[in-house]
Amino acid sequence: MRITGGILTTFCLLQISTAYPYFRDKIPNGHLVANPCNISEIWFGVGHKQRYGNGERNQFGLDFQRQGMQWTNDLCRMDSDEDGSTNGAELGDPNCKWVPGGVPIQSQGITHPGVCTDSSGHACKEPGFDLKCDGFQCDAATGTRKLEIRYTQMEVPTQPKTYKCQAFALPTDKDYHLIAATPHISNINHTYYYNEKLASGEVDASGLTLHFTDNLRPNDLGIFRVGLNYLLFIPPKRKRFEVSAVCGGDCMREYSNETITIIGGQSEMFYHGVSGKMYKGKTDGTSEVLFEDSEYHLDSPKLHLLDTPKTLGQGESLGVNCTYDSSSENKTLLYGIDVNSTEVCFGHILYYPKEGSIEKGCTTIGDLDQCEIRDIVAQCEHLDIVGHLNKSHPALKEIFDNCMFGRCLQECVNVSEKYSTHPCFSGSLKDFLVWTLSLPESDDDFKTIMLDFWGRLDSCKTNNGNDKHMTSISSVLPCYGHWLSVWVLVYFVFV
Ligand SMILES: *[C@@H]1O[C@H](CO)[C@@H](O)[C@H](O)[C@H]1NC(C)=O
Ligand SMILES: *[C@@H]1O[C@H](CO)[C@@H](O)[C@H](O)[C@H]1NC(C)=O
Ligand SMILES: *[C@@H]1O[C@H](CO)[C@@H](O)[C@H](O)[C@H]1NC(C)=O
Ligand SMILES: *[C@@H]1O[C@H](CO)[C@@H](O)[C@H](O)[C@H]1NC(C)=O
Ligand SMILES: *[C@@H]1O[C@H](CO)[C@@H](O)[C@H](O)[C@H]1NC(C)=O
Ligand SMILES: *[C@@H]1O[C@H](CO)[C@@H](O)[C@H](O)[C@H]1NC(C)=O
Ligand SMILES: *[C@@H]1O[C@H](CO)[C@@H](O)[C@H](O)[C@H]1NC(C)=O
Ligand SMILES: *[C@@H]1O[C@H](CO)[C@@H](O)[C@H](O)[C@H]1NC(C)=O
C-alpha cells in the first residue's frame, strides 16, 4: 500500500491537535468541563472554539492568555462567556481559592466558561461563535466512504513519551482521495502516549475515521516544510531573538516547476518560541507574509487557513522566521528534540498541486539552502558521504604537509589563504562540519582528525579567524517524527 499526500480544492480540515493537558492542569477542573452540545462528553480544549483544542480561542481562552496563562483572581471573577456565571463558578472555584495542584471546592456539574451555558451545562442560546456541536461539518465529505483505523488497545507505558507504530490496511483497488479525517481519542490524557505524570494502568485505543472518495478531485494537496536543522544557537537572556531560514527560488524550482497555490500552513517551535511567520520572497527582492503567528505557543499551535489562497511562482523563495524568548535561560539554547530545553524553527505550508516528488521539505545551513549545500558538497571530493575527511586527497595533503596546529608557518600562509576561501572549507559548510564535532556520536578518531585539520587550516588567521557568529543553519533533513507532527494532515490519497 502506498500513501501519497493529497487532496484538492474543496476539503475539510478538522484540526485535531490535542488539547494539552498542561493547560487543563492550570485551571480548576480543567479535565471535567462538559461539552455544551452533549453534557455527557468532555470539552477538551477549554480555551478553544473546538472541542479538541487548537485553532481559534474562545473568549475564555483569550482572557486566560491575557492573564499570562494563569488562573488569577481576575480571571476567576470574570464572566468570559457572559452567561451570568463567573468563570470560577463555572469551573467549581466560586470563591477563587484554587491553586494548581489543589482540589477544587466542587467537581460536579462543571460547565463551559467560554460558551454561554445554562446551569445544567447545555448551550443556552445562539453562541457568540460557530459552535460546531457534532464537531464535524463538511459538505465536501458528503457521500464519501469511511474507514475507521484505531490502535489496538494497549496499556500506556509508564514513561514520559512513547512512539508507537501500527500498520493499517487501506484500500488498494483504485485511486482515492482522502477528503477529511476525524479523530477518536479514547484517552485524552495520553494522545501520542505522552505520559508526563508517569501514570500506570492507563489504556488507549485512539484512532481516526478517514473519509475518502473515488470521485477524484483535480489536485492533490501537499505539505512542504522549510526550516533550519541542527545549527540553531539562541543566546541566553534575550527577550526576542529572531532566526530565519530561506529556501531559495532556484531550489524551490526543483520541487515544483509550476506555480503552486498555498492554502495555509503552520509554524513550529518549542517552548521558547513566541512568534513566527512564513513568507515568500518575490523575484523583485520584496517579500510577502503568507501567515503569521504574532503570539505563538507550542501548547496552542494554530493551523492557518488563508481566506484567499496565495501563489508561489517560479523563482520565488519560501522563508520562515522564528522568534524566541530566552530571557529565562542561562545558557545558549541549541537545536534538539526536547521541548523544554532545546529549540527548532520550521514552517509548513499546505499547497497544491502536489508533485510526484517525494521531497517534503527544504532546510538550510546558514545562508545556504539544501540545494546549494548539495551542489557545494558535490565539489568537495575530500569529504566522504558522512563528512569524514579523506586525508589522501591533494587539498588535505597540502594542508597537512604545510600547516601546523597552533603556529603559523610561513609556508602555510598561502595554502591557508587558498583554501580558506574555498566553499568546501569556509562559510556555512565549514560551520556545519565543525559543528559535527559536538555530536555525541562523533568518535574520538573523527574528532582528532577534524580538530587537527581545522586547527592547521586556521593557524595563520589573526585573532583565531572564525569570528563569524554561528546563528542559524542546517541541512540534509532526516525527517524525524516528533509528536507535534501527528496532528498533521491526515489528508492522503491512497494510490
Ligand atoms: C452524547 O455523548 C455520548 C457519549 O459520547 C453518546 O453516547 C451519545 O450518543 C451522545 N448523545 C447525542 C445526542 O449525541
Ligand atoms: C485524565 O487525567 C485526569 C486527571 O489526572 C483524570 O481525572 C482522568 O480520569 C483521566 N482520564 C482518563 C480517561 O484516564
Ligand atoms: C526574517 O528574519 C530576518 C533575520 O532576523 C530579517 O532580516 C527579515 O527581515 C525577516 N523577514 C521577514 C519577512 O520578517
Ligand atoms: C517539470 O515539467 C515537466 C514538463 O514540462 C514534467 O515532465 C516534470 O515532471 C516536471 N518536474 C517537476 C519536478 O515538477
Ligand atoms: C539561571 O540562573 C539563576 C541565577 O543563578 C537561577 O536562579 C536560575 O534557576 C537559572 N535558570 C536556569 C534555567 O538554569
Ligand atoms: C517541561 O517543563 C514543564 C514546565 O516547566 C514541566 O512540567 C515538564 O515536566 C517538563 N517536561 C520535560 C519533558 O522535561
Ligand atoms: C581519497 O582521495 C584519493 C585522492 O583523491 C582518492 O584516490 C581516493 O579514492 C579517496 N578515498 C575515498 C575513500 O574517497
Ligand atoms: C605566496 O604568495 C605570494 C603572492 O601571491 C608569492 O609572492 C609568494 O612567493 C608565495 N609564497 C610561497 C611560500 O609560496
Side-chain angles (χ1 to χ4, degrees):
M1 172 187 61
R2 218 146 40 94
I3 298 185
T4 55
I7 62 170
L8 33 96
T9 44
T10 51
F11 60 92
C12 296
L13 294 177
L14 185 73
Q15 305 166 21
I16 59 162
S17 182
T18 124
Y20 292 85
Y22 176 65
F23 281 148
R24 293 182 302 146
D25 289 342
K26 295 184 116 190
I27 58 174
N29 293 305
H31 296 260
L32 298 176
V33 175
N35 176 0
C37 302
N38 177 350
I39 58 167
S40 51
E41 293 178 340
I42 299 293
W43 189 283
F44 300 108
V46 179
H48 291 268
K49 291 189 176 183
Q50 297 191 99
R51 186 173 157 227
Y52 286 107
N54 194 7
E56 264 187 282
R57 294 187 175 94
N58 56 38
Q59 190 56 45
F60 175 74
L62 294 171
D63 292 340
F64 177 64
Q65 188 182 23
R66 278 187 207 118
Q67 298 286 318
M69 312 239 182
Q70 303 294 336
W71 182 247
T72 61
N73 203 46
D74 282 352
L75 180 64
C76 178
R77 295 193 190 287
M78 257 178 238
D79 176 11
S80 294
D81 54 15
E82 298 181 341
D83 59 2
S85 191
T86 63
N87 297 334
E90 298 214 54
L91 292 172
D93 182 27
N95 307 321
C96 302
K97 296 281 189 233
W98 182 84
V99 289
V103 180
I105 233 173
Q106 100 204 29
S107 290
Q108 297 290 317
I110 301 308
T111 58
H112 202 309
V115 178
C116 175
T117 45
D118 59 26
S119 60
S120 66
H122 291 97
C124 56
K125 59 175 189 215
E126 196 56 36
F129 60 85
D130 184 19
L131 180 63
K132 292 193 167 98
C133 278
D134 69 0
F136 181 62
Q137 288 165 0
C138 177
D139 294 343
T142 44
T144 54
R145 286 168 61 186
K146 288 185 198 162
L147 178 71
E148 185 176 303
I149 56 175
R150 277 179 186 262
Y151 281 130
T152 309
Q153 180 160 307
M154 65 167 233
E155 193 160 322
V156 179
T158 309
Q159 58 190 38
K161 216 187 272 185
T162 304
Y163 294 100
K164 185 173 153 62
C165 196
Q166 182 172 338
F168 298 94
L170 301 180
T172 53
D173 55 328
K174 56 180 152 176
D175 282 1
Y176 293 100
H177 267 147
L178 185 66
I179 304 303
T182 46
H184 300 290
I185 296 181
S186 77
N187 184 341
I188 191 72
N189 294 349
H190 298 294
T191 320
Y192 322 141
Y193 310 121
Y194 198 58
N195 187 359
E196 198 159 51
K197 290 181 180 152
L198 303 179
S200 57
E202 300 244 11
V203 295
D204 188 277
S206 296
L208 295 169
T209 291
L210 307 177
H211 303 253
F212 62 100
T213 179
D214 59 3
N215 172 14
L216 298 182
R217 293 359 191 209
N219 293 296
D220 287 347
L221 188 76
I223 304 169
F224 190 84
R225 159 153 117 156
V226 174
L228 48 89
N229 260 358
Y230 306 136
L231 297 204
L232 173 63
F233 300 94
I234 302 165
K237 305 265 176 261
R238 298 284 187 95
K239 193 77 194 137
R240 291 179 63 79
F241 184 78
E242 186 174 45
V243 301
S244 73
V246 177
C247 187
D250 288 339
C251 200
M252 288 306 297
R253 214 190 295 264
E254 291 189 25
Y255 297 112
S256 175
N257 56 16
E258 59 185 306
T259 295
I260 59 170
T261 301
I262 297 169
I263 62 154
Q266 184 167 12
S267 320
E268 182 184 352
M269 288 163 272
F270 291 162
Y271 281 123
H272 299 82
V274 290
S275 62
K277 62 180 131 183
M278 284 193 83
Y279 49 92
K280 69 171 179 178
K282 300 188 192 171
T283 48
D284 65 4
T286 63
S287 62
E288 178 187 343
V289 172
L290 298 169
F291 61 84
E292 179 162 10
D293 287 293
S294 48
E295 291 181 63
Y296 177 87
H297 197 291
L298 173 63
D299 287 344
S300 183
K302 185 160 165 41
L303 177 60
H304 298 268
L305 293 177
L306 305 178
D307 294 334
T308 312
K310 297 192 157 124
T311 56
L312 187 78
Q314 289 291 288
E316 294 187 319
S317 63
L318 188 59
V320 57
N321 273 16
C322 299
T323 306
Y324 307 89
D325 177 352
S326 63
S327 50
S328 65
E329 294 298 319
N330 297 332
K331 293 173 75 180
T332 304
L333 280 166
L334 305 176
Y335 176 87
I337 58 168
D338 184 307
V339 294
N340 280 347
S341 60
T342 62
E343 270 302 335
V344 295
C345 175
F346 292 109
H348 306 253
I349 54 162
L350 294 169
Y351 73 96
Y352 69 87
K354 180 182 183 294
E355 305 291 337
S357 159
I358 55 158
E359 296 287 353
K360 293 196 192 71
C362 169
T363 52
T364 59
I365 289 190
D367 49 3
L368 303 174
D369 65 35
Q370 195 164 303
C371 303
E372 293 166 319
I373 292 287
R374 178 201 57 205
D375 294 345
I376 293 173
V377 169
Q379 307 164 34
C380 305
E381 292 161 358
H382 64 286
L383 288 176
D384 72 11
I385 47 170
V386 288
H388 286 93
L389 299 172
N390 175 353
K391 283 177 84 173
S392 359
H393 188 271
L396 264 70
K397 206 164 165 348
E398 201 176 351
I399 291 158
F400 277 103
D401 285 352
N402 291 291
C403 301
M404 184 187 224
F405 195 121
R407 176 164 291 267
C408 177
L409 303 178
Q410 212 176 309
E411 61 271 30
C412 181
V413 176
N414 289 4
V415 175
S416 158
E417 224 173 79
K418 176 165 114 194
Y419 289 110
S420 296
T421 51
H422 190 287
C424 291
F425 300 97
S426 65
S428 296
L429 183 58
K430 176 182 177 183
D431 290 349
F432 178 68
L433 293 171
V434 170
W435 174 81
T436 61
L437 285 169
S438 65
L439 290 173
E441 55 271 30
S442 300
D443 63 38
D444 288 347
D445 287 350
F446 172 78
K447 286 186 193 173
T448 308
I449 294 172
M450 286 289 265
L451 282 170
D452 189 15
F453 173 74
W454 296 112
R456 289 176 194 244
L457 182 66
D458 290 348
S459 60
C460 292
K461 284 195 179 163
T462 47
N463 70 36
N464 275 337
N466 193 5
D467 53 0
K468 187 166 171 245
H469 188 67
M470 291 196 260
T471 44
S472 34
I473 325 258
S474 181
S475 87
V476 252
L477 208 205
C479 121
Y480 78 97
H482 86 76
W483 52 275
L484 233 203
S485 323
V486 180
W487 63 266
V488 179
L489 313 150
V490 256
Y491 311 111
F492 293 111
V493 181
F494 315 137
V495 180

